[in-house]
Amino acid sequence: MSNAGTAQSTITGKLFKLDGSASSDADSDALTYQWTLASKPATSAATLASPNVAKPEFTADVPGNYVFSLIVNDGKADSAPASVTVTVALATWRDADCSTDGTQLPACTMDFSDNNSLVGLDPGANALVLETLASTSLAATKSYHTGITGNRAILGTEILHGVKLSEFAGFSFKSKDDGTGPNTGAGFPYVNYSISKECNGTGWANLITNLSDMSPTGPDADGYYTYTADISAGSKAWKSSHWDNAIYATDGTTVVLMPNKTATGGSLQALIQAYPNACIYNWPNPDAKVPLATTTPAVMLMLGSSKNLTAKKAWFKDIKIGDKVVF
């Protein structure tokens, strides 16, 4: 008799083991196992590893329900199938395994750098390195991710996708550059959030927390300054011009989002109050001219700026999403 185990739950990206070891045979004959993935979310490309063992491994790639079927055979006949449903939730920064062995980028991050800019590692300093490159002319092709020409080193992460701004504790890091202090010209570090007003992909906008909004402290004994992009009262948001519909709200005295990309916006806390469903959302920049199914990282730590042609280099460590250490 086949036994596929009891219904369970897990998160995307996490290795999961099914368990058919409770299957049995009336004559105590040895059993062979045949698992199949009977159904899964339409957009999932997940497969079942080693389907002929009692406890096969599985990693879900998208949230939803995954139904597995198990048939056992005692050498004489197949059993009736048994099934089990595994409910998968989207992993967030609270769940992510950001471990790294020091020879590659953290497991929950990606290099989305534009136009030959670099993201790498400096093992001697135990730090990530972001570096923009000097150029005599702007790259002819716009960035696939941002639709912007220029040199920008971008460390991105998608694990914040779907997290409401009201539930996000912020982003912090330590950094030093190859100059004498925090870089105040083109190329300083900043944090970019892609957001959706209703957390469904509509009302797309860029929010950028600049160095001046993060009020860096330091340096410490190793020359690092500490930056905090805190989504709270007092934090500021720079607005790109990409709302689906131009909507401007106020908290009574402060304009939450200014009408064009040249002005500084109001506090992120005021934005949250105006749009309580607003969340961090993976969404392509419309200027990039890519299919909507193609996503950019929800949050990006950047060095460099639009049309920046200056070589910049900075070291980063103690990068945190909320209280989760990324690197």
Side-chain angles (χ1 to χ4, degrees):
M1 181 176 67
S2 59
N3 185 328
T6 58
Q8 299 190 55
S9 61
T10 186
I11 57 176
T12 54
K14 184 177 181 180
L15 187 66
F16 181 84
K17 279 191 176 183
L18 298 165
D19 190 352
S21 61
S23 301
S24 59
D25 179 70
D27 301 321
S28 299
D29 292 330
L31 298 175
T32 57
Y33 299 82
Q34 181 60 56
W35 290 89
T36 57
L37 180 48
S39 68
K40 61 183 179 180
T43 57
S44 173
T47 58
L48 187 60
S50 303
N52 302 118
V53 299
K55 299 180 180 181
E57 296 179 340
F58 164 73
T59 302
D61 53 352
V62 298
N65 290 329
Y66 295 74
V67 179
F68 298 89
S69 178
L70 172 64
I71 293 174
V72 296
N73 186 291
D74 63 356
K76 303 171 185 174
D78 287 340
S79 68
S83 64
V84 63
T85 299
V86 178
T87 302
V88 178
L90 183 70
T92 72
W93 89 96
R94 297 184 181 93
D95 307 305
D97 178 6
C98 296
S99 59
T100 175
D101 61 6
T103 62
Q104 57 187 4
L105 295 180
C108 61
T109 63
M110 297 151 289
D111 179 358
F112 278 91
S113 296
D114 295 339
N115 302 321
N116 299 316
S117 294
L118 304 173
V119 174
L121 292 157
D122 184 342
N126 191 27
L128 291 170
V129 181
L130 274 64
E131 184 174 5
T132 60
L133 305 178
S135 175
T136 57
S137 63
L138 291 173
T141 303
K142 290 184 176 183
S143 162
Y144 185 78
H145 304 290
T146 65
I148 296 172
T149 55
N151 297 318
R152 299 190 302 171
I154 304 172
L155 180 72
T157 179
E158 292 181 304
I159 62 173
L160 291 165
H161 174 62
V163 176
K164 287 190 176 182
L165 294 181
S166 59
E167 299 173 354
F168 181 49
F171 195 97
S172 64
F173 56 91
K174 289 184 177 180
S175 179
K176 66 178 181 179
D177 57 39
D178 52 1
T180 58
N183 221 322
T184 55
F188 60 72
Y190 59 98
V191 182
N192 182 100
Y193 306 85
S194 298
I195 70 166
S196 166
K197 287 183 293 187
E198 295 299 326
C199 207
N200 59 4
T202 62
W204 184 95
N206 253 349
L207 296 183
I208 296 177
T209 305
N210 282 324
L211 177 146
S212 59
D213 302 322
M214 292 187 275
S215 302
T217 59
D220 63 16
D222 296 320
Y224 285 88
Y225 289 77
T226 298
Y227 299 82
T228 301
D230 183 23
I231 297 183
S232 63
S235 295
K236 300 295 182 180
W238 182 93
K239 174 193 173 292
S240 78
S241 56
H242 293 305
W243 283 117
D244 285 0
N245 300 294
I247 297 177
Y248 312 107
T250 68
D251 60 4
T253 58
T254 305
V255 176
V256 176
L257 293 174
M258 299 299 285
N260 60 65
K261 62 175 65 178
T262 62
T264 300
S267 74
L268 290 176
Q269 193 63 36
L271 171 64
I272 293 168
Q273 292 171 0
Y275 304 108
N277 292 324
C279 75
I280 298 170
Y281 204 88
N282 293 353
W283 205 247
N285 186 325
D287 287 347
K289 308 300 183 186
V290 298
L292 293 183
T294 303
T295 59
T296 58
V299 172
M300 297 176 278
L301 174 60
M302 295 187 179
L303 185 74
S305 61
S306 305
K307 297 180 171 57
N308 174 40
L309 301 179
T310 307
K312 301 285 184 180
K313 186 175 183 179
W315 290 259
F316 295 84
K317 65 180 183 178
D318 295 344
I319 301 171
K320 295 182 180 179
I321 300 171
D323 58 0
K324 172 72 71 173
V325 176
V326 176
F327 183 87

